[in-house]
Amino acid sequence: MEEIAMNKLRMLSLCSGIGGADLAAEATDAIEVVGQVEIDPFCQAVLTKHWPNVARMSDIREVVGHEFGAIDI
């Protein structure tokens, strides 16, 4: 059976915490976390450890809208 290629939805995680919702979203294999916004330094360290290549900002008030490219979720 031929496998159908699926484009993943691009998710921006706001108030990410330690990434629980991000992990659940990626577990669906239909969603890719492309950005995270989290102000807490401890949570930022956890996010950096588990998503080292994801763009990250610390203050939601500084998000303009173009920092993470096209976002679906």
Side-chain angles (χ1 to χ4, degrees):
M1 176 178 262
E2 185 177 321
E3 191 171 321
I4 298 173
M6 184 174 82
N7 293 331
K8 292 186 178 188
L9 295 171
R10 294 172 48 87
M11 177 178 139
L12 172 59
S13 175
L14 302 175
C15 304
S16 303
I18 59 170
D22 303 14
L23 185 63
E26 288 188 337
T28 67
D29 205 34
I31 298 172
E32 171 187 16
V33 175
V34 296
Q36 296 166 320
V37 181
E38 176 55 52
I39 200 164
D40 183 86
F42 174 77
C43 293
Q44 289 175 5
V46 173
L47 295 171
T48 299
K49 178 180 179 186
H50 294 289
W51 287 274
N53 299 318
V54 169
R56 195 167 296 104
M57 292 180 70
S58 62
D59 193 338
I60 197 167
R61 296 171 293 184
E62 295 177 3
V63 176
V64 177
H66 66 282
E67 297 86 355
F68 304 100
I71 299 296
D72 300 305
I73 301 173

